[in-house]
Amino acid sequence: MSNVYINSITVLEFMKALTETTILFIIVLLCTSVFIAAVPEIQIKPEGAEHNVGDIFKVKIVVTIIHKKCPLPITSTVIELSKNLMLVNETEWIQVSSNVYEKTIWVKCVSEGEGTIRVYRKCPIYGLIEAQVKIGVGVKVEETAEAKIYWHIPNTVYILLTLTAVSVFLAFTLAKRRDRRSNMIRLGVLAFSLALLGFVKGGCPCPIGAVQIIPVLLLDMKIYIGWILLLLIPIIATLIFGRIYCGWICPFGALQELIGLINKRKIKPPSSLNYIKLLSLAVFIGLSISIGDEVFREYDPFKALFNLSFTETTLALLIIVVLASILIGRPFCKYICPLGAILMLVDKVSILRIRRDSKLCINCSLCRRICPYNTDSGTGKGECILCLKCITKCPRQALSYR
């Protein structure tokens, strides 16, 4: 009978892991749908794709500055025409919103053939960003699907890799020693990350934008390797080491946790409410697909603070986040963050995690009481951010990171 019981438990665990992996796969597919729907940084909108020699047609160019601290001014945007097209007039760049600019040009068809209008920006951070349309002059335009890969790697990728490596080393070392200074050291790393990734880099990588506008823009057949890495690094790190990104690196989480130090006696809602962020992820994806643009860009209180660029809405949302961080602790991380929702699912199948020795555990529930996410350590619920409080304070040393 005992063997049958053990086998049934094994089957149940296997089915549970299979279900969670399937959910993760669906999430990845949904994220890909968002990438398809995302609006590119440069859009070229000509009046028709086919004209005759001597025709003059209008072209509208729209540039969306995704990063508010972009060092490249809008006037550095370059417009190139093929030899059979000629620029006859143009307007100045007009700012239509906080990060969107428009310009109109008039182009004359000089000779027959297939022409091109190319607009590009050579950003020192993100590399070459471009868009191109074909114009047929006396000929039909043949549309061909051609993938274009951009290999520029922003320095944020190297910073993120370095912070990940340092955090993993510290987490392993401190967990093995059961060092009671673990949480203080982790907060120090978070503070450094907040300063560098937050205020210096303007909140990049952004957990909201990462899920919505990672530029696998399949509509334009463009693949930006640097941006893909900014999303893959936290996911792969979580798959191997657990949610090291959430607990040690994320500038959004760092801001909330450091503010939350003001209040030691926080309200602890049921841990089951943490699954609300899965709904949040679905909402972000649905809205992104429906409107074809990044949701929440204009209302992001974290980016507003990091870039010191406030509106009445972002200021009000920031005040709400600050108050909630004091009362609850990491409210955005627990209930809203779409990247956190993905990493929660990945963490359920992570290779390394905090594990519980049932022979030593006395079920005192101390780990739950001190856990910032109000969950039992070693249960594999995907909500452990590796703060190591449970390991260092367990009276029976029943928990370990392995």
Side-chain angles (χ1 to χ4, degrees):
M1 289 294 293
S2 61
N3 289 336
V4 173
Y5 176 76
I6 292 172
N7 290 335
S8 65
I9 292 297
T10 303
V11 171
L12 287 174
E13 289 179 347
F14 172 77
M15 293 300 296
K16 182 180 178 182
L18 181 63
T19 302
E20 292 169 349
T21 304
T22 303
I23 293 174
L24 177 61
F25 179 70
I26 293 172
I27 292 295
V28 171
L29 289 180
L30 288 174
C31 289
T32 303
S33 301
V34 177
F35 302 154
I36 296 175
V39 171
E41 185 166 349
I42 299 175
Q43 299 175 76
I44 306 173
K45 303 176 180 179
E47 284 183 336
E50 296 177 4
H51 300 274
N52 297 315
V53 175
D55 288 351
I56 297 177
F57 61 95
K58 184 170 67 173
V59 180
K60 183 179 180 181
I61 300 170
V62 182
V63 176
T64 302
I65 308 298
I66 295 176
H67 199 278
K68 290 185 179 180
K69 284 190 175 180
C70 180
L72 197 66
I74 188 63
T75 52
S76 296
T77 304
V78 180
I79 301 172
E80 283 186 354
L81 306 179
S82 57
K83 292 182 179 180
N84 63 335
L85 300 176
M86 181 177 68
L87 180 68
V88 295
N89 198 5
E90 63 180 320
T91 65
E92 298 292 331
W93 285 104
I94 301 173
Q95 186 172 2
V96 296
S97 67
S98 62
N99 64 326
V100 178
Y101 296 82
E102 290 183 358
K103 183 185 186 74
T104 302
I105 63 174
W106 285 263
V107 178
K108 183 176 182 178
C109 301
V110 178
S111 60
E112 285 191 356
E114 187 175 274
T116 58
I117 301 174
R118 178 177 177 242
V119 181
Y120 65 88
R121 292 166 56 81
K122 289 186 177 180
C123 179
I125 297 177
Y126 301 114
L128 179 65
I129 303 169
E130 67 174 343
Q132 181 174 295
V133 295
K134 295 180 179 180
I135 303 295
V137 182
V139 297
K140 289 186 176 182
V141 175
E142 295 183 4
E143 294 293 338
T144 57
E146 182 180 351
K148 201 160 190 178
I149 300 177
Y150 298 88
W151 292 96
H152 175 77
I153 309 296
N155 57 14
T156 309
V157 170
Y158 303 110
I159 294 173
L160 188 56
L161 279 172
T162 303
L163 285 173
T164 301
V166 171
S167 299
V168 168
F169 172 77
L170 289 173
F172 263 112
T173 304
L174 295 170
K176 186 176 181 180
R177 296 178 179 178
R178 303 185 186 276
D179 196 321
R180 291 187 174 272
R181 299 170 299 173
S182 299
N183 191 53
M184 189 62 66
I185 294 173
R186 182 182 67 88
L187 291 175
V189 176
L190 278 175
F192 178 80
S193 178
L194 174 62
L196 184 57
L197 293 179
F199 291 100
V200 175
K201 291 296 181 181
C204 181
C206 167
I208 300 176
V211 175
Q212 296 177 85
I213 61 165
I214 291 296
V216 186
L217 299 175
L218 299 183
L219 286 179
D220 290 329
M221 300 297 286
K222 294 178 181 179
I223 301 174
Y224 291 82
I225 300 300
W227 276 100
I228 293 174
L229 289 175
L230 287 176
L231 180 62
L232 286 181
I233 291 171
I235 291 178
I236 294 174
T238 301
L239 182 62
I240 299 173
F241 305 108
R243 290 176 64 177
I244 197 80
Y245 174 79
C246 296
W248 290 71
I249 302 169
C250 178
F252 287 52
L255 178 66
Q256 297 169 85
E257 186 159 350
L258 293 174
I259 290 174
L261 294 176
I262 297 173
N263 178 25
K264 299 294 183 181
R265 296 183 178 180
K266 295 183 179 65
I267 300 171
K268 289 193 174 183
S271 58
S272 56
L273 293 179
N274 295 346
Y275 285 90
I276 291 176
K277 58 179 166 283
L278 292 174
L279 176 61
S280 173
L281 173 63
V283 169
F284 276 110
I285 291 175
L287 289 176
S288 296
I289 293 174
S290 64
I291 70 174
D293 196 1
E294 180 190 354
V295 182
F296 205 57
R297 177 190 295 146
E298 297 297 323
Y299 312 102
D300 187 341
F302 297 98
K303 286 290 190 70
L305 175 63
F306 295 150
N307 293 278
L308 300 178
S309 176
F310 294 99
T311 63
E312 291 182 358
T313 303
T314 55
L315 183 58
L317 290 174
L318 181 62
I319 293 173
I320 292 172
V321 169
V322 169
L323 293 176
S325 298
I326 295 172
L327 296 175
I328 300 175
R330 283 184 173 248
F332 177 81
C333 303
K334 291 177 180 177
Y335 309 121
I336 300 175
C337 181
L339 180 58
I342 295 175
L343 297 184
M344 179 184 72
L345 295 175
V346 175
D347 186 55
K348 288 177 178 289
V349 292
S350 64
I351 298 172
L352 300 172
R353 65 178 68 176
I354 293 180
R355 302 181 188 274
R356 179 190 300 180
D357 188 336
S358 57
K359 295 179 180 179
L360 297 175
C361 180
I362 57 175
N363 297 316
C364 64
S365 297
L366 176 63
C367 54
R368 172 184 281 273
R369 294 198 299 271
I370 62 177
C371 176
Y373 277 74
N374 194 31
T375 186
D376 289 321
S377 300
T379 55
K381 291 184 177 180
E383 288 290 53
C384 175
I385 60 170
L386 297 174
C387 69
L388 306 181
K389 291 180 181 178
C390 57
I391 289 181
T392 59
K393 294 186 179 182
C394 178
R396 297 296 299 272
Q397 298 187 357
L399 300 169
S400 59
Y401 179 43
R402 52 189 170 86

